[in-house]
Amino acid sequence: MALRLDTQIQYLKGVGPKLGDLFTRKGLKTIGDLFEFYPRAYEDQRAARNIASLKMDDIVSIKAQVVTVHSINMGRSTRKMYDVVVKDASGQIHCKFFRVPYKGYFERFKPYKEVRVVGKVTDYRGRLEFHHPDIRDIEPDEETQDALIPLYTEIEGLATNKIMKMVRQAFSQIEEWPEEALPKWIIEKYKLLPRKDALKEMHYPDPQKAAQYAEFKSSAQKRIIFDEFFWLELFLASKKTGFQKEGAPKILNKATKLAALEKSLPFQLTNAQKRVFGEIRKDLEKSHPMHRMVQGDVGSGKTLVSFMAAAYASESGFQSCLMAPTEILAEQHFKNAQKVLEPLGLRLALLVGKSKASERKQVLEALHSGEIDLIIGTHALIEDEVIFSNLGLVIIDEQHRFGVEQRGVLKNKGNSPHFLVMTATPIPRTLAMTVYGDLDVSIVDEMPPGRSPIQTRATFESKRPQALQFMMEQIQKGRQAYIVYPLVEESEKIDLKDAVSEYEKLKELYPKVSFGLLHGKMKPSEKDQIMDQFRRNEIQVLVSTTVIEVGVDVPNANIMIIEHAERFGLSQLHQLRGRVGRGEHKSFCILIMGYAVSEEGKERTAMMEKTSDGFKIAEFDLEMRGPGEFMGTRQSGLSGFKMANLVRDMQTLQEAREAAFEVLRRDPKLAYLENQNLKAELLREHGPAALAGIA
Ligand code: ADP
Ligand code: MG
């Protein structure tokens, strides 16, 4: 039977419905999907070696025999590490797995079994071993195979060589290839291989290019990576083009409130604040809505910039709303707004989950009738009954805490309102181009004057007494402190116990010092009470889980001790650390690591000691942990990549983005003949919504 890319896999010769089902469950439905099931590595048979000859960083293939398989518990969590020991006539080596490839994976490695191990040799504490190698059965027809063999991720017992045979079967049966979706000028400008050839080469690798494949630098891989980025970028570009069509509230006035605000401040705006507000103001004065992200390190004064925008909007008669991720933060913003905006005549309101029903009713009525200029709150703001009379500006603080839908709901409460998101997590450029690729970016890259950098030290548990001693010296000088514990979801109870028991211990140890305890399981009113006491210096040391992470501003607190620092992401550590260093006092951050910290963990904390540049830290974090982990939540858009990697393929990402935006610049409605395949593909990938802005 002649196949096409959209033919179901089950019609492939030798497959049938049962195997077809198995593939479908893995998300592989069509022949096209099968072609995009790329090998996870290539085995270079010319690199076959014996164990005794291995050297660090070699990528090799060895023929060996299984000696033992066992699992080892890791720390106090439920995670396990698997160790497969293999040997040949020359020696033996450990193959370690920190993740289980699939259930039952290790069961087939019985002692004496002959296997082929393919992977990179790693040096672990002076011993050579493999981490996550490919271990595959030795095939009867082994000798007749190519010198470079694609290795596929096994599908529930379907071994890699079986998958290879299926894929190649499909290539031999396929007759009809779709036309290139990309216009010719892109193929030429970026020197791209035809997609068809690229796909084929992935599954029929050229032994001459083994080294290129290993580094994802072959022209075949580049084409595929380019495509993956291109479709995302084209989608983002069309969204952005769409924004430019929505009619926005025009905010243009004499800026008398703005002038009064600036005059009332006890300090000068930083140049960065002025520049960023300038960019915002220009957007507000346009007839299509702003979609802007303001990035800036903790304490760089983003909130004030957003207040300025709200003041400016109110003078043109528009309402604004500011949504924050926690009640503590919403209340803090509200208090600040009372100081800064109320004197200018702005009418403010606060709406959080715990607001009393009567208050709430009053606020909602006032909002609806236009008697409120700025409403500040938590996600309580997105509820249906929150109705504005004239919403002109939506501001979202620490926006990575919110999902795309939540942002969308707020937007829909106005008539194409302007949209401003703020984040203290510096976003590496690659993420700014993908996850947030439809937003314009402003960066507050300057701190208000008079802040000295936070001195950071990483140390081990054994030095905790000294760390506490040092903290107490600061307390004696009148300062305040934070002690932070991680709260990892899977072991929430254990961690909570850590914070609570440490709090009890400290109270006993230092009876003259007043301690407070703050954690996520407390009622909002209890949390507030604790925070208020801390703000008033009635609590000197706040023992807390990460609930204090965002936004909390207590300038007298100048020292933070972070326990189990190795368990945090670097960007999170950086945010936490930003809670100190907010006043005139020299500030300190002590990172305490558990004894079990890995080399990688040490490298990460060393990075924290070295730099206070949030962007550098974010790039490093992204490199070490990947985008999913980095963002804290799984962000849509990135999970779709089969081969592309944001860190490794930055250059290609840049090209794909440039190409996608250029397509829409030349042909904003995608009406040209050369763009018809592309338009069809966009529609297929993202549905009609993708074209809403441009059609
Ligand atoms: P961010 O939200 O960027 O983390 P904030 O807006 O909370 O930072 O600002 C931190 C503190 O700095 C606040 O107390 C704020 O009043 C103060 N601040 C803001 N801008 C300036 C400035 N230009 N000069 C001095 N202090 C400032
Ligand atoms: Mg903030």
Side-chain angles (χ1 to χ4, degrees):
M1 170 176 164
L3 299 181
R4 299 169 7 142
L5 283 188
D6 58 2
T7 309
Q8 303 281 308
I9 287 183
Q10 61 162 338
Y11 297 114
L12 189 61
K13 208 169 121 196
V15 174
K18 208 170 135 226
L19 212 49
D21 268 359
L22 178 63
F23 277 94
T24 305
R25 265 185 280 128
K26 294 285 163 191
L28 305 171
K29 297 193 189 83
T30 64
I31 299 297
D33 293 338
L34 189 62
F35 287 167
E36 289 178 12
F37 188 61
Y38 306 116
R40 55 178 236 87
Y42 295 95
E43 171 184 347
D44 191 348
Q45 296 215 310
R46 298 162 309 172
R49 296 264 291 277
N50 67 32
I51 291 174
S53 74
L54 299 180
K55 288 196 306 296
M56 180 160 96
D57 288 340
D58 286 348
I59 296 174
V60 294
S61 155
I62 57 168
K63 199 171 158 185
Q65 203 178 51
V66 174
V67 182
T68 56
V69 181
H70 50 258
S71 60
I72 299 159
N73 287 327
M74 283 170 61
R76 60 187 182 186
S77 74
T78 54
R79 282 173 54 203
K80 274 189 174 142
M81 197 251 298
Y82 282 82
D83 188 9
V84 182
V85 182
V86 301
K87 65 163 192 186
D88 65 11
S90 73
Q92 67 171 36
I93 188 163
H94 291 256
C95 306
K96 289 193 178 153
F97 292 81
F98 304 98
R99 283 171 269 112
V100 179
Y102 56 80
K103 207 163 159 271
Y105 178 84
F106 295 102
E107 279 164 24
R108 61 199 175 105
F109 301 131
K110 302 274 185 282
Y112 305 111
K113 188 183 172 73
E114 295 270 318
V115 291
R116 196 168 268 289
V117 180
V118 183
K120 185 170 172 180
V121 182
T122 313
D123 184 338
Y124 180 72
R125 297 189 175 162
R127 187 168 83 176
L128 296 182
E129 49 189 45
F130 288 107
H131 290 171
H132 293 271
D134 285 284
I135 304 184
R136 61 174 185 79
D137 300 355
I138 302 261
E139 290 304 315
D141 57 352
E142 185 82 41
E143 305 316 315
T144 64
Q145 281 178 342
D146 311 344
L148 197 61
I149 303 178
L151 295 176
Y152 296 87
T153 303
E154 301 182 6
I155 298 178
E156 283 177 36
L158 204 58
T160 166
N161 66 307
K162 296 235 170 60
I163 297 174
M164 180 182 82
K165 278 179 193 153
M166 275 180 62
V167 176
R168 291 186 174 186
Q169 175 69 34
F171 272 105
S172 73
Q173 270 181 272
I174 194 151
E175 288 193 352
E176 232 178 281
W177 282 91
E179 272 178 60
E180 274 290 348
L182 300 189
K184 215 158 125 207
W185 70 265
I186 292 184
I187 306 256
E188 279 165 10
K189 178 165 180 196
Y190 298 100
K191 302 192 177 60
L192 301 176
L193 211 62
R195 181 162 173 92
K196 176 184 159 184
D197 299 348
L199 278 178
K200 190 151 186 184
E201 190 178 320
M202 294 313 303
H203 302 283
Y204 292 89
D206 175 354
Q208 303 301 323
K209 295 185 190 160
Q212 290 177 27
Y213 294 137
E215 299 197 323
F216 290 82
K217 289 210 170 109
S218 70
S219 50
Q221 285 157 316
K222 179 179 169 185
R223 169 64 205 257
I224 284 157
I225 291 165
F226 185 96
D227 283 9
E228 287 183 358
F229 284 139
F230 179 82
W231 295 113
L232 175 64
E233 291 301 330
L234 188 66
F235 174 58
L236 293 169
S238 72
K239 245 168 99 178
K240 206 165 170 183
T241 312
F243 293 154
Q244 285 165 9
K245 293 238 187 77
E246 301 169 38
K250 201 167 171 96
I251 297 175
L252 183 60
N253 54 62
K254 294 212 189 79
T256 46
K257 284 192 179 164
L258 209 54
L261 189 159
E262 269 194 64
K263 235 171 99 194
S264 73
L265 292 175
F267 46 72
Q268 295 267 310
L269 293 173
T270 64
N271 287 328
Q273 282 172 316
K274 283 185 203 157
R275 188 193 69 242
V276 169
F277 181 72
E279 289 163 0
I280 293 170
R281 181 169 170 177
K282 241 192 227 150
D283 285 354
L284 296 176
E285 292 173 353
K286 282 182 194 152
S287 54
H288 57 80
M290 165 169 75
H291 281 84
R292 185 169 289 279
M293 170 154 70
V294 174
Q295 294 184 33
D297 240 329
V298 275
S300 59
K302 298 180 293 292
T303 316
L304 185 60
V305 172
S306 75
F307 285 172
M308 291 165 70
Y312 191 58
S314 78
E315 194 167 328
S316 282
F318 287 102
Q319 294 174 302
S320 303
C321 71
L322 167 55
M323 180 162 76
T326 63
E327 296 199 349
I328 292 179
L329 204 53
E331 279 166 11
Q332 189 176 289
H333 286 331
F334 182 67
K335 283 189 190 127
N336 283 332
Q338 282 178 315
K339 269 189 257 162
V340 178
L341 296 176
E342 235 164 35
L344 313 177
L346 267 80
R347 296 158 299 176
L348 309 177
L350 176 70
L351 189 71
V352 290
K354 65 155 190 225
S355 303
K356 281 200 209 78
S358 56
E359 270 171 51
R360 191 182 166 81
K361 190 157 165 267
Q362 225 176 7
V363 165
L364 291 178
E365 275 171 15
L367 188 70
H368 192 184
S369 59
E371 288 153 37
I372 286 171
D373 300 302
L374 170 63
I375 185 163
I376 297 175
T378 54
H379 43 263
L381 289 171
I382 63 181
E383 280 163 32
D384 284 345
E385 61 206 42
V386 179
I387 302 166
F388 292 82
S389 98
N390 194 10
L391 177 63
L393 171 64
V394 172
I395 304 162
I396 298 188
D397 192 20
E398 303 302 342
Q399 63 81 41
H400 63 286
R401 293 301 192 91
F402 296 101
V404 178
E405 304 88 57
Q406 287 169 312
R407 293 189 250 156
V409 173
L410 265 189
K411 251 182 85 176
N412 288 334
K413 288 182 184 287
N415 192 4
S416 306
H418 295 281
F419 193 67
L420 183 67
V421 300
M422 303 190 283
T423 179
T425 309
I427 314 282
R429 240 154 46 86
T430 47
L431 290 182
M433 285 193 284
T434 50
V435 182
Y436 304 108
D438 54 340
L439 299 173
D440 295 307
V441 176
S442 294
I443 301 179
V444 187
D445 51 5
E446 184 187 353
M447 284 292 190
R451 304 223 176 130
S452 56
I454 303 158
Q455 194 180 330
T456 301
R457 272 278 159 282
T459 185
F460 288 97
E461 279 174 54
S462 53
K463 292 277 166 62
R464 181 180 294 114
Q466 285 91 325
L468 287 175
Q469 174 68 31
F470 183 73
M471 179 185 88
M472 284 306 163
E473 284 162 20
Q474 294 298 318
I475 300 289
Q476 246 135 47
K477 289 184 193 159
R479 303 287 80 75
Q480 289 166 277
Y482 298 95
I483 301 180
V484 186
Y485 284 83
L487 196 70
V488 186
E489 261 167 55
E490 54 205 82
S491 55
E492 204 163 305
K493 282 198 193 104
I494 305 174
D495 291 314
L496 196 56
K497 208 178 77 210
D498 279 356
V500 175
S501 65
E502 188 65 23
Y503 163 73
E504 299 293 344
K505 251 191 269 167
L506 285 168
K507 270 203 308 195
E508 239 169 73
L509 212 57
Y510 302 98
K512 293 212 182 91
V513 176
S514 70
F515 289 88
L517 177 67
L518 190 73
H519 59 77
K521 288 273 153 68
M522 289 162 73
K523 283 201 212 95
S525 59
E526 293 172 329
K527 282 195 236 170
D528 288 352
Q529 206 190 339
I530 298 287
M531 274 323 291
D532 277 341
Q533 285 178 308
F534 190 57
R535 235 173 251 132
R536 287 197 300 265
N537 201 356
E538 291 161 17
I539 289 175
Q540 294 168 287
V541 180
L542 188 62
V543 179
S544 155
T545 59
T546 49
V547 287
I548 55 139
E549 182 184 346
V550 265
V552 175
D553 190 17
V554 180
N556 189 47
N558 76 326
I559 175 161
M560 174 177 283
I561 295 178
I562 304 180
E563 296 274 359
H564 293 292
E566 76 279 2
R567 289 208 233 156
F568 291 90
L570 291 191
S571 291
Q572 202 185 6
L573 284 178
H574 182 65
Q575 282 217 333
L576 281 170
R577 177 169 71 176
R579 300 304 115 226
V580 296
R582 300 195 142 225
E584 76 248 48
H585 313 289
K586 170 125 194 68
S587 294
F588 306 91
C589 175
I590 302 176
L591 305 173
I592 296 188
M593 296 180 280
Y595 294 119
V597 65
S598 64
E599 286 302 314
E600 185 195 309
K602 280 188 218 159
E603 208 181 314
R604 283 154 36 95
T605 38
M607 184 75 185
M608 296 300 297
E609 290 182 317
K610 237 181 352 214
T611 181
S612 56
D613 181 334
F615 276 95
K616 267 199 202 135
I617 288 172
E619 297 278 357
F620 188 75
D621 212 12
L622 176 66
E623 229 166 276
M624 299 284 269
R625 299 195 306 157
E629 289 282 319
F630 178 84
M631 302 305 298
T633 49
R634 305 264 159 264
Q635 290 279 343
S636 60
L638 296 181
S639 49
F641 297 147
K642 291 173 182 156
M643 192 180 298
N645 174 305
L646 285 179
V647 178
R648 184 191 63 210
D649 306 321
M650 170 120 173
Q651 173 75 29
T652 308
L653 167 59
Q654 206 132 13
E655 290 175 4
R657 181 169 172 87
E658 180 187 283
F661 277 77
E662 177 67 13
V663 164
L664 281 171
R665 200 190 59 77
R666 292 183 186 193
D667 179 15
K669 290 180 189 261
L670 292 184
Y672 297 175
L673 192 61
E674 66 167 11
N675 290 332
Q676 290 320 293
N677 289 338
L678 191 146
K679 189 170 168 181
E681 179 66 23
L682 191 62
L683 202 60
R684 206 174 63 89
E685 280 275 312
H686 295 283
L691 296 178
I694 53 186

